Amino acid sequence: MPPKKAIAFGKIGSFGQLSISTQPVTKSEDSGFGKFGKSDEEFRVEPTADVERAMGFQGFGKNKAAPVKNFDLESLVEQSKQVARERERNSLKVSGAVNSVEVEAAENVIGPTPPPQTTESIVTESEENKISLAPKKPSKITTRTHSDDEDVDSSDSEDDDETGTYIPAALEVNLNHGTKPVSALSVDHSGARLISGSVDYDVKLWDFAGMSSSLQSFRTIRPCESHPILDLHYSITGDAILIISGTAQAKVVDRDGYEKAECVKGDQYITDMARTKGHIASLMGGCWHPRDKQEFLTCSQDGTCRIWNVEDVKQHKGIMKSRSQNGLRAAPTSCTYSRDGNLIACACNDGSIQMWDHRKMFVNTSVLIRNAHQSGTETSSIVFAYDGRNVATRGGDSTLKLWDIRQPKSPVHSVGDLFSRFSMTNCAFSPNDRLLFTGTSFQKGESGGKVVFLDRTTFERVHEIDVPKAHVVRALWHPKLNQIIVGAGDGNIHLYYDAAKSHNGAKLCLGKPKRIRPHEMMSTVRVITPHALPMFREDKPRSTRRAMEKARKDPLLSKQPDLPIGNKGSGGRVATSGSTLSSYIVRNLGIASRIEDEGNPREAILRHASAAAANPYWVSPAYSKTQPKPIWAPENNDGDEEPDAKKGKLN
């Protein structure tokens, strides 16, 4: 076996030598591993112009030979300040030019000065600093005439759009719920369905897409028997409806009105409300969580607000006890969540507003406002603004107040003279959060209720919608439909919308014709029995025309009235009697034994007295053998003598 060859790595050179000399050690070019590290020849830049031209781009990356760019922060700050100064100077010049144009236009106006208008386009040129103004509409700088009414109305609506105070109330549609006040209204988030409740215990569901111009609801339910409906709410997904009635148990039904869950009722003999599983008194209000579709809130006259879960309604999820200033129980009259769901607020009958943090234990209140409204009145509504900073309350003392939860000592704004007869009257914010509106009831001497719109910043009355001959109980403004829905005290639901700015909703059903339902026809089922006996066999029905002709000839089936008779009788009727044979016989018997009843009946009876005395026939012969002889008292000629019964007793 030949010996194995040794493995050689070539010449190591000076790699393994240890040199302590001061002169640098030079490595041989023909060493085994060569030179450690990067070589300049190995990484030299190759020309790529042809490749770049063929592939269609400018390079394969940054050039490593390019120097690193250095940023001077001080110069950048100075440059930005200079740009800001130039922009501010240009804006001042533009505003001055606009004011001069408005002054010139105001001098040419005949009559009252129109409201200030803004130009449609302002373009600034950086080189020449010239200002070009777009021409204004002539209807806004000329006098108002009768022919310009439509133009002025359109301009007013444009101005309202700019200020955010436009109200879509140009057109109106009425839905009839019943004859009693509509106490609850709700529209799902998509704006496809409307649900209404009343004190007549009925809940009606309306579908805008499936409803025709007849404006009829597609379903009517009575979920709580003989209890009025106080509040209705769609969940955030629109698949469930919360029903608050006069009972102690809230109900949850699905989108079509079928029951899904019913809260349990608590034990009314337990004093501590935290140890009961549910409410023990009638409900006052409720709402869904704005973020969680499984959670909802209810408040009751037992002095508690309870949080529930739809999946488990056998016991409440959380409880909050509202207390008055002296520590006694205060019944909440309305409750709500904040827009983000972190706060739970309720208004109580002692006039206070109490709020709890949903993220903490419900032991102490986070925000407490005492004497917010008059004590003893029912605050019918409490609602948060869309920004989450302000809270509006509608009091039973005819006031509407706006609060800031950051400074709750005093209201930001307050307005009075808003009379209401109902404990369900609500208030709400407009979709753009600039208006606040509520409903009023009419008093003696007024024509009807109103929907009052107030500016949120100044609390001035911006607009009013009159509802003739009816109180306004509920009002809501749907942000997606841009329509205002009002529940009135006469059982009608008023939908206000604008033809151009509103979408779907009432506009869907108005264009559909009324559907005529075919009359229900009862048809008899014919059983074919080919092997039946002749007496049970049914003839094959032929044409209906022959059957109708045959029934017409039959006097019983056709119900033909009796024909007038002639001189001779026919069909058992005698002509001289006028009708039938029996009537003829009765009439003849009456004529034969006719007795004249005219004269004095007493004389007619006494006429037979002598004959009866001479020849008694009925009474006297019957008692002739048994009747004793009558003994008459002797006649007294002396009329002054009194009878023995009346004589006085002798002593």
Side-chain angles (χ1 to χ4, degrees):
M1 183 176 180
K4 295 182 180 180
K5 296 182 179 180
I7 300 174
F9 291 95
K11 294 182 179 181
I12 302 300
S14 61
F15 179 76
Q17 296 179 359
L18 179 63
S19 176
I20 312 179
S21 62
T22 58
Q23 296 181 358
V25 179
T26 58
K27 296 181 181 180
S28 176
E29 295 180 357
D30 55 352
S31 60
F33 288 100
K35 183 179 180 182
F36 287 93
K38 296 181 179 181
S39 174
D40 296 337
E41 297 179 357
E42 184 179 358
F43 295 99
R44 65 178 181 272
V45 180
E46 298 181 358
T48 59
D50 298 336
V51 179
E52 292 172 4
R53 194 180 306 107
M55 298 182 69
F57 52 85
Q58 296 181 356
F60 289 97
K62 296 182 180 180
N63 189 6
K64 296 183 179 181
V68 179
K69 186 176 182 180
N70 296 325
F71 295 95
D72 190 358
L73 296 179
E74 295 182 357
S75 62
L76 292 175
V77 171
E78 289 294 333
Q79 185 178 0
S80 62
K81 288 182 179 180
Q82 187 66 21
V83 172
R85 293 192 194 97
E86 292 179 359
R87 290 181 179 177
E88 185 178 1
R89 193 180 302 110
N90 294 335
S91 63
L92 292 176
K93 291 181 180 180
V94 171
S95 62
V98 171
N99 293 333
S100 63
V101 172
E102 290 181 354
V103 170
E104 293 177 0
E107 292 178 355
N108 298 328
V109 172
I110 301 174
T113 306
Q117 304 292 333
T118 58
T119 57
E120 295 183 355
S121 61
I122 299 175
V123 182
T124 58
E125 297 182 2
S126 59
E127 298 178 358
E128 300 178 0
N129 293 330
K130 293 182 180 180
I131 303 174
S132 62
L133 297 177
K136 296 184 179 181
K137 296 183 179 180
S139 60
K140 295 184 180 181
I141 60 174
T142 56
T143 58
R144 179 181 297 180
T145 60
H146 294 287
S147 61
D148 298 335
D149 287 341
E150 298 180 356
D151 297 338
V152 172
D153 293 339
S154 62
S155 64
D156 292 340
S157 63
E158 291 176 0
D159 297 340
D160 292 340
D161 290 342
E162 294 176 0
T163 58
T165 59
Y166 178 73
I167 298 170
L171 301 174
E172 179 183 359
V173 175
N174 292 336
L175 306 178
N176 186 15
H177 178 92
T179 57
K180 295 187 178 181
V182 179
S183 56
L185 281 175
S186 181
V187 182
D188 62 350
H189 289 266
S190 63
R193 287 191 177 183
L194 165 70
I195 183 170
S196 61
S198 175
V199 295
D200 61 357
Y201 323 133
D202 289 340
V203 173
K204 290 192 175 184
L205 290 86
W206 314 77
D207 188 0
F208 291 120
M211 187 167 49
S212 64
S213 58
S214 60
L215 304 178
Q216 298 293 327
S217 62
F218 73 91
R219 182 159 297 161
T220 301
I221 60 175
R222 183 169 288 187
C224 303
E225 296 180 353
S226 299
H227 295 278
I229 307 300
L230 302 180
D231 207 353
L232 295 169
H233 287 281
Y234 270 99
S235 62
I236 55 174
T237 55
D239 59 345
I241 303 170
L242 175 64
I243 300 177
I244 304 296
S245 63
T247 62
Q249 300 171 270
K251 280 192 176 182
V252 178
V253 298
D254 62 0
R255 188 177 178 83
D256 295 326
Y258 298 103
E259 183 176 339
K260 292 180 61 177
E262 183 179 9
C263 297
V264 69
K265 186 177 180 180
D267 190 351
Q268 57 185 352
Y269 297 102
I270 297 178
T271 307
D272 189 2
M273 292 294 102
R275 298 188 179 274
T276 59
K277 297 181 179 180
H279 292 292
I280 63 172
S282 61
L283 299 175
M284 297 299 294
C287 64
W288 287 95
H289 193 281
R291 302 288 178 87
D292 188 2
K293 67 176 183 179
Q294 301 291 339
E295 182 180 323
F296 63 92
L297 172 70
T298 58
C299 65
S300 172
Q301 289 184 353
D302 59 2
T304 61
C305 297
R306 299 175 190 261
I307 301 175
W308 304 84
N309 193 332
V310 179
E311 302 297 334
D312 184 16
V313 292
K314 299 300 181 182
Q315 188 173 4
H316 61 260
K317 184 179 175 182
I319 182 173
M320 292 143 285
K321 300 179 182 179
S322 55
R323 299 293 182 183
S324 60
Q325 193 168 5
N326 54 7
L328 299 178
R329 179 186 300 176
T333 57
S334 60
C335 60
T336 186
Y337 282 99
S338 61
R339 300 291 178 176
D340 55 0
N342 293 333
L343 279 179
I344 298 175
C346 76
C348 304
N349 59 357
D350 63 341
S352 64
I353 299 174
Q354 304 181 21
M355 301 183 189
W356 293 270
D357 194 341
H358 195 287
R359 298 162 293 184
K360 301 178 181 178
M361 298 293 292
F362 304 122
V363 179
N364 298 322
T365 57
S366 299
V367 179
L368 179 61
I369 305 175
R370 294 290 183 186
N371 301 322
H373 289 276
Q374 183 178 352
S375 179
T377 60
E378 293 186 2
T379 304
S380 58
S381 178
I382 178 171
V383 61
F384 278 85
Y386 286 93
D387 57 8
R389 297 192 300 268
N390 292 351
V391 178
T393 55
R394 177 69 161 93
D397 52 357
S398 302
T399 60
L400 178 64
K401 296 183 180 181
L402 185 67
W403 305 85
D404 192 343
I405 60 176
R406 298 169 296 182
Q407 297 177 354
K409 293 184 178 180
S410 61
V412 179
H413 296 289
S414 177
V415 63
D417 195 17
L418 298 174
F419 176 70
S420 176
R421 297 181 184 271
F422 299 91
S423 61
M424 296 84 71
T425 305
N426 69 324
C427 62
F429 287 89
S430 62
N432 59 4
D433 223 11
R434 295 185 180 181
L435 297 177
L436 183 63
F437 61 94
T438 185
T440 62
S441 303
F442 68 92
Q443 299 179 2
K444 186 177 181 180
E446 297 181 356
S447 60
K450 298 179 180 179
V451 183
V452 181
F453 294 84
L454 304 172
D455 191 352
R456 179 181 170 183
T457 56
T458 61
F459 247 48
E460 296 180 354
R461 296 200 179 192
V462 177
H463 186 71
E464 292 180 353
I465 299 177
D466 294 329
V467 181
K469 298 180 181 180
H471 307 286
V472 176
V473 185
R474 289 279 182 174
L476 57 92
W477 190 340
H478 197 272
K480 190 171 183 179
L481 300 179
N482 195 22
Q483 298 178 11
I484 300 172
I485 306 172
V486 177
D490 58 353
N492 291 327
I493 304 172
H494 303 267
L495 282 77
Y496 299 94
Y497 66 98
D498 187 270
K501 297 181 175 59
S502 299
H503 310 284
N504 298 336
K507 297 173 63 178
L508 291 177
C509 54
L510 290 180
K512 296 182 180 180
K514 295 182 180 180
R515 291 179 296 180
I516 301 175
R517 296 182 179 179
H519 296 286
E520 296 182 357
M521 300 180 62
M522 297 180 63
S523 60
T524 58
V525 180
R526 179 174 176 265
V527 180
I528 302 175
T529 56
H531 303 290
L533 297 175
M535 60 183 302
F536 300 108
R537 189 174 300 169
E538 296 181 0
D539 296 334
K540 183 179 179 181
R542 299 179 182 179
S543 63
T544 57
R545 180 179 178 181
R546 291 189 176 183
M548 291 176 63
E549 291 177 353
K550 187 177 181 181
R552 183 63 179 170
K553 294 179 181 180
D554 191 349
L556 296 178
L557 296 178
S558 62
K559 298 180 181 180
Q560 182 180 2
D562 296 333
L563 298 174
I565 59 176
N567 296 329
K568 298 180 180 181
S570 62
R573 295 186 301 167
V574 181
T576 56
S577 64
S579 58
T580 60
L581 179 61
S582 60
S583 63
Y584 172 74
I585 295 173
V586 171
R587 176 172 296 184
N588 290 339
L589 290 176
I591 293 174
S593 60
R594 180 177 296 177
I595 300 174
E596 295 181 359
D597 294 336
E598 298 178 358
N600 192 355
R602 184 175 181 276
E603 295 179 355
I605 295 174
L606 292 177
R607 194 168 49 195
H608 304 282
S610 58
N615 189 16
Y617 181 77
W618 297 107
V619 178
S620 297
Y623 297 98
S624 61
K625 296 180 179 181
T626 59
Q627 185 69 19
K629 294 181 180 180
I631 300 173
W632 306 103
E635 295 182 0
N636 294 327
N637 296 327
D638 190 3
D640 297 336
E641 187 178 359
E642 295 181 356
D644 296 339
K646 292 186 177 181
K647 290 182 179 180
K649 294 182 180 180
L650 297 176
N651 295 331

